[in-house]
Amino acid sequence: MATTRPRRLARQVSIVGAGLSQFGAYPDKSSRDLFVEAFHDMQDNIDQGISAQDIEAGYLGNYSADLFEHQGHTAPIMADWLGMTPTPITRVENACASSGSALREGVMAIASGMYDVVLVGGVEKMTSLPTEGVTDVLASAADGLYEVPAGLTFPGIFGAIAKAHMDRYETNLNHLLKVGIKNHENGKLNPKAQFQVTVRDMMDRRRIAWPLRLYDCAPITDGASCVLLVASDIASQFTDKPVHVAGMGQATGRPLHDAEELTSLSAAKIASAEAYAMAGIGPENVGVAEVHDCFTIAEIVASEDLGFFEPGEGPHAVDEGRTARTGDRPINTSGGLKAKGHPVGASGVAQVIEVFKQLRGEAGARQLTSPDLEFGLTHNVGGTGGTCVVNVLQRG
Amino acid sequence: MATTRPRRLARQVSIVGAGLSQFGAYPDKSSRDLFVEAFHDMQDNIDQGISAQDIEAGYLGNYSADLFEHQGHTAPIMADWLGMTPTPITRVENACASSGSALREGVMAIASGMYDVVLVGGVEKMTSLPTEGVTDVLASAADGLYEVPAGLTFPGIFGAIAKAHMDRYETNLNHLLKVGIKNHENGKLNPKAQFQVTVRDMMDRRRIAWPLRLYDCAPITDGASCVLLVASDIASQFTDKPVHVAGMGQATGRPLHDAEELTSLSAAKIASAEAYAMAGIGPENVGVAEVHDCFTIAEIVASEDLGFFEPGEGPHAVDEGRTARTGDRPINTSGGLKAKGHPVGASGVAQVIEVFKQLRGEAGARQLTSPDLEFGLTHNVGGTGGTCVVNVLQRG
């Protein structure tokens, strides 16, 4: 039957521009407003300029405008508001990995030969519902037949993962707290980030789902993100600092009720192995990584699943400052979902934007100074690992 | 900036297998059950067999399991139920054109060089809600800012389109009725179709949205569909009767409140022009077409937008029997959405399956007998033309 072979693209694809809306809680902004704001930010940041009518196809990552705003078929509405019609646009949904998956579609659309210039974005307007409503909408990304009826919300699920990691390794509450402190310190240097909090704030002991406390959880956020992808052979028409998509991996995990273990997400291991193989690198070559820290424990698990550290070593790496901006393995320099905010459908592309900026030397006060920064990685998770998307980006 | 050029794929892609669930109202079947049923039907119909683990990537068209079943992140659940994990799978949503768009993603994924064997399907479980609830969910595919608050449901919108067509051309109620009678006659020959009704049933005068009556409307349906796509150079491993994807077009229409006219969908004209150009054919070469007859008037408008007939000629073509199975321009030999049923996320791929079967000579009692049947077309609409996807298929 089908041959098994290393994945490769028929044409190389590059990122040449990126835009983010402000992340936060905005009662007066709908999805449309947020997405237009991100697009305008991107237009301001593309050296040679870009008009909506120059784009040949679009992809929109969105988890559930259906449930958050009672609006389906969101992609054409965004195209209309950008002035992009009649250009084709398609919504992609893989829970909190929606725009991570959307990016893959944009890359493959160009590599297929169909298009040269593709917009990929993500958006989520979450604060229209009260917190319990948001928790319920997010829980619908878990398995509604087995997991949700058992009372598993996402904080509950990641609480169980944290407890399992603590039971199996030497992980403790201080490790979790230190992930949050690191990410909020990074977030303070990110003008788009939702939160500016102090270490004193983070000592808040309110329990959400034991052992997770309030500041172990990413916030509820309104926000949007977008990037412009082009065939690498025309990238110079847009910028002299393109960033290439060197490797991509996506994998599907079995639902948590059926997972072999709780201290690792199998989809993350498979997706990253595929992305590394395609890029021809290993974890040791990754100079900057944005990982899916929907909860502090998720960053520790990700840092192990991605091969940065051995299983059980993740918490010690945090203790030793290795994942800080000044460490040898900087993670979530943007502030991560934790501090930057987590508008779920927008997060995958927002991660890509941070790596894009770091590789171009445009990350402002949070810029890494390593002179040999060549490869960066993003790790975007949907549900409890039902989907994991890993991208390897390379400085052009 | 970007070059304008005819679209082409770096690799040719073929359809080698197809499966449908029964279409109907099934209180005991969820989306999962329906999708597994379609997949098993496909397995039974692939000459050389296929296992879920032979598939390298999947795409699922689904409009709103979120609102119909309170289940988001549906694609990984389907993969789990098929035994397909850890293969990547992604949900695509463009309202009633969701699986039409999903098919494009599958084709481009193969053409990009990433994969050789891709599953594309669609599913919708709609009868879990009462009719008013379904109408409300479908209305959320229109623009929630301008259209829905004005009271526009889909029957209302297509009623306005029918009235506009009647005002501008010689279209009358009998033309609409004849579309329905033709499609139900075809549907009687389709063992998967939802309805078997008599002409007497169809004389039912109950008004839904003037001038549309009960039998002018496609039904509410539970159902699923899937096809197996492979790189054409390995198609012979699966079948000796592949069907090639010769042309694809997708376009985004402005919302109806902003459309230039009501008697035509601009996105359908643009998408079909693109698909014809890519395939190197014109409408005169299309031997069989499945068009999006969510309402009887929609089939007439489609037959004009696709260039089969001049504007205003569509109703006369129905009168003259030209769109019947025995006519020179057969449309909706499957029974169309009208008689086969319209599980919205599944319909785009279900259309492709009918054309696949006709081109292979496997359409049973409804098989067309034209000896030179080489090209077929599908026309799949999301919302009121917010999305239109047109595919041209060619006998291999």
Side-chain angles (χ1 to χ4, degrees):
Chain A
M1 306 300 285
T3 51
T4 301
R5 55 176 176 73
R7 310 280 173 219
R8 58 171 184 78
L9 293 170
R11 295 169 93 193
Q12 193 176 31
V13 177
S14 302
I15 306 170
V16 296
L20 273 184
S21 74
Q22 286 291 331
F23 279 20
Y26 302 109
D28 296 337
K29 294 181 188 178
S30 67
S31 285
R32 310 164 193 234
D33 302 310
L34 294 161
F35 197 67
V36 169
E37 183 182 331
F39 186 74
H40 286 168
D41 185 49
M42 185 183 85
Q43 287 185 305
D44 292 343
N45 287 293
I46 291 187
D47 312 353
Q48 314 300 333
I50 182 82
S51 129
Q53 285 290 326
D54 293 329
I55 296 164
E56 295 178 294
Y59 291 93
L60 180 76
N62 173 256
Y63 170 49
S64 199
D66 315 63
L67 293 170
F68 285 124
E69 300 180 281
H70 204 70
Q71 178 68 65
H73 205 196
T74 38
I77 289 172
M78 300 303 155
D80 185 39
W81 278 55
L82 295 186
M84 215 177 100
T85 57
T87 295
I89 186 166
T90 294
R91 173 184 166 208
V92 170
E93 188 270 308
N94 263 341
C96 304
S98 293
S99 59
S101 288
L103 188 93
R104 285 166 55 84
E105 298 312 307
V107 169
M108 290 192 280
I110 292 173
S112 76
M114 281 288 280
Y115 304 108
D116 292 333
V117 181
V118 172
L119 178 73
V120 177
V123 67
E124 210 80 50
K125 166 69 187 178
M126 302 175 73
T127 66
S128 39
L129 297 182
T131 301
E132 315 82 74
V134 173
T135 302
D136 176 62
V137 172
L138 294 176
S140 75
D143 191 316
L145 187 59
Y146 295 111
E147 293 171 352
V148 180
L152 279 179
T153 60
F154 275 83
I157 289 169
F158 278 91
I161 290 173
K163 186 66 172 59
H165 210 275
M166 288 174 171
D167 286 350
R168 184 165 184 178
Y169 305 118
E170 293 163 354
T171 315
N172 61 42
L173 290 176
N174 271 336
H175 295 124
L176 302 185
L177 181 64
K178 284 180 180 174
V179 170
I181 291 173
K182 169 184 72 71
N183 290 354
H184 278 289
E185 281 181 354
N186 290 343
K188 281 180 192 164
L189 306 176
N190 186 347
K192 301 278 183 162
Q194 180 168 11
F195 282 124
Q196 307 294 344
V197 300
T198 65
V199 173
R200 180 180 292 271
D201 293 329
M202 300 189 59
M203 302 298 286
D204 191 314
R205 291 174 177 277
R206 274 176 286 177
R207 294 180 182 186
I208 299 298
W210 184 253
L212 301 178
R213 296 180 292 190
L214 182 62
Y215 279 88
D216 288 309
C217 310
I220 294 165
T221 310
D222 303 329
S225 56
C226 64
V227 291
L228 190 69
L229 303 179
V230 305
S232 297
D233 52 29
I234 63 162
S236 64
Q237 293 178 25
F238 299 86
T239 181
D240 55 3
K241 291 196 287 185
V243 168
H244 307 313
V245 180
M248 308 195 298
Q250 178 174 323
T252 305
R254 304 194 67 175
L256 201 75
H257 65 84
D258 224 4
E260 287 179 16
E261 56 176 359
L262 285 177
T263 56
S264 169
L265 299 181
S266 63
K269 290 196 278 195
I270 295 166
S272 58
E274 195 163 300
Y276 289 139
M278 187 169 157
I281 67 165
E284 66 282 6
N285 303 109
V286 174
V288 56
E290 288 281 307
V291 312
H292 199 90
D293 59 327
C294 48
F295 298 90
T296 49
I297 183 63
E299 177 171 315
I300 290 173
V301 170
S303 72
E304 298 170 356
D305 287 342
L306 294 165
F308 297 158
F309 309 113
E310 293 296 315
E313 290 302 311
H316 302 299
V318 175
D319 245 355
E320 294 157 10
R322 297 182 61 189
T323 59
R325 277 183 304 112
T326 49
D328 66 321
R329 179 69 72 188
I331 291 179
N332 287 332
T333 56
S334 71
L337 314 181
K338 181 72 201 73
K340 182 169 84 259
H342 184 25
V344 293
S347 282
V349 164
Q351 293 177 320
V352 166
I353 292 173
E354 177 68 9
V355 172
F356 173 79
K357 285 182 184 288
Q358 289 286 357
L359 293 178
R360 286 170 39 126
E362 296 177 347
R366 63 190 188 283
Q367 179 64 48
L368 297 173
T369 52
S370 164
D372 56 349
L373 191 63
E374 183 181 359
F375 290 100
L377 176 148
T378 61
H379 159 276
N380 187 202
V381 176
T384 49
T387 300
C388 185
V389 180
V390 173
N391 292 304
V392 174
L393 306 180
Q394 182 176 17
R395 193 176 58 190
Chain B
M1 305 300 284
T3 52
T4 302
R5 55 177 176 74
R7 310 278 174 223
R8 57 172 186 76
L9 293 170
R11 294 170 93 192
Q12 192 175 33
V13 177
S14 303
I15 306 171
V16 297
L20 273 184
S21 74
Q22 285 291 331
F23 279 21
Y26 303 108
D28 295 337
K29 294 183 188 176
S30 68
S31 286
R32 311 164 192 232
D33 302 310
L34 294 162
F35 197 67
V36 169
E37 183 182 331
F39 185 75
H40 285 168
D41 185 50
M42 186 184 85
Q43 286 184 306
D44 291 343
N45 287 291
I46 292 186
D47 313 353
Q48 313 301 335
I50 181 81
S51 127
Q53 285 290 327
D54 292 329
I55 295 165
E56 295 177 295
Y59 292 93
L60 180 76
N62 174 255
Y63 170 48
S64 199
D66 315 63
L67 292 170
F68 286 123
E69 300 180 281
H70 203 71
Q71 178 68 65
H73 205 195
T74 38
I77 289 173
M78 300 303 155
D80 185 39
W81 279 56
L82 296 186
M84 214 177 101
T85 58
T87 295
I89 186 166
T90 294
R91 173 184 167 208
V92 170
E93 188 270 308
N94 263 340
C96 304
S98 292
S99 59
S101 288
L103 187 92
R104 286 166 55 85
E105 298 312 307
V107 170
M108 290 192 280
I110 292 173
S112 76
M114 282 287 282
Y115 304 108
D116 292 333
V117 181
V118 172
L119 178 73
V120 177
V123 67
E124 209 81 48
K125 166 68 188 179
M126 301 175 73
T127 66
S128 40
L129 296 182
T131 301
E132 317 81 73
V134 173
T135 303
D136 177 62
V137 172
L138 295 176
S140 75
D143 190 316
L145 188 57
Y146 294 112
E147 294 171 352
V148 179
L152 281 178
T153 60
F154 275 83
I157 290 169
F158 278 92
I161 290 173
K163 187 66 171 58
H165 211 274
M166 287 175 172
D167 287 349
R168 185 165 182 179
Y169 305 117
E170 293 163 355
T171 315
N172 61 43
L173 291 176
N174 271 336
H175 294 124
L176 303 185
L177 180 62
K178 284 180 180 173
V179 170
I181 291 173
K182 168 184 74 69
N183 289 355
H184 278 289
E185 282 181 354
N186 290 343
K188 281 180 194 165
L189 305 176
N190 185 346
K192 301 277 185 165
Q194 180 167 12
F195 282 124
Q196 306 294 344
V197 299
T198 65
V199 173
R200 180 181 293 270
D201 293 329
M202 300 189 59
M203 301 299 286
D204 190 313
R205 290 173 177 279
R206 274 176 287 176
R207 293 180 183 186
I208 299 298
W210 185 252
L212 302 177
R213 296 180 291 191
L214 182 62
Y215 278 88
D216 289 309
C217 310
I220 294 165
T221 310
D222 303 329
S225 56
C226 64
V227 291
L228 190 69
L229 302 179
V230 304
S232 297
D233 53 28
I234 62 162
S236 63
Q237 293 178 25
F238 298 85
T239 180
D240 55 4
K241 291 196 289 182
V243 168
H244 307 313
V245 180
M248 307 196 298
Q250 178 174 323
T252 305
R254 305 193 65 175
L256 201 75
H257 66 83
D258 224 5
E260 288 180 15
E261 56 176 0
L262 286 176
T263 55
S264 168
L265 299 181
S266 63
K269 291 195 279 195
I270 296 166
S272 58
E274 196 164 300
Y276 289 139
M278 188 170 156
I281 66 164
E284 66 281 5
N285 304 108
V286 174
V288 57
E290 288 282 305
V291 313
H292 198 91
D293 59 329
C294 48
F295 298 90
T296 50
I297 184 64
E299 176 173 315
I300 290 174
V301 169
S303 72
E304 297 171 356
D305 287 342
L306 294 166
F308 297 158
F309 310 113
E310 292 297 313
E313 291 301 311
H316 301 301
V318 175
D319 244 354
E320 295 157 10
R322 297 181 62 188
T323 58
R325 276 184 303 111
T326 50
D328 66 320
R329 179 70 71 188
I331 292 179
N332 287 333
T333 56
S334 72
L337 313 180
K338 183 71 201 74
K340 183 170 82 261
H342 184 25
V344 295
S347 283
V349 164
Q351 294 177 320
V352 166
I353 292 173
E354 177 68 9
V355 172
F356 173 79
K357 287 182 183 289
Q358 289 285 356
L359 294 177
R360 288 174 34 130
E362 295 177 347
R366 62 190 190 283
Q367 179 65 46
L368 298 172
T369 53
S370 163
D372 56 349
L373 191 63
E374 182 180 359
F375 291 100
L377 177 148
T378 62
H379 159 276
N380 187 201
V381 175
T384 49
T387 300
C388 184
V389 180
V390 174
N391 292 303
V392 173
L393 306 180
Q394 182 176 17
R395 194 176 58 189

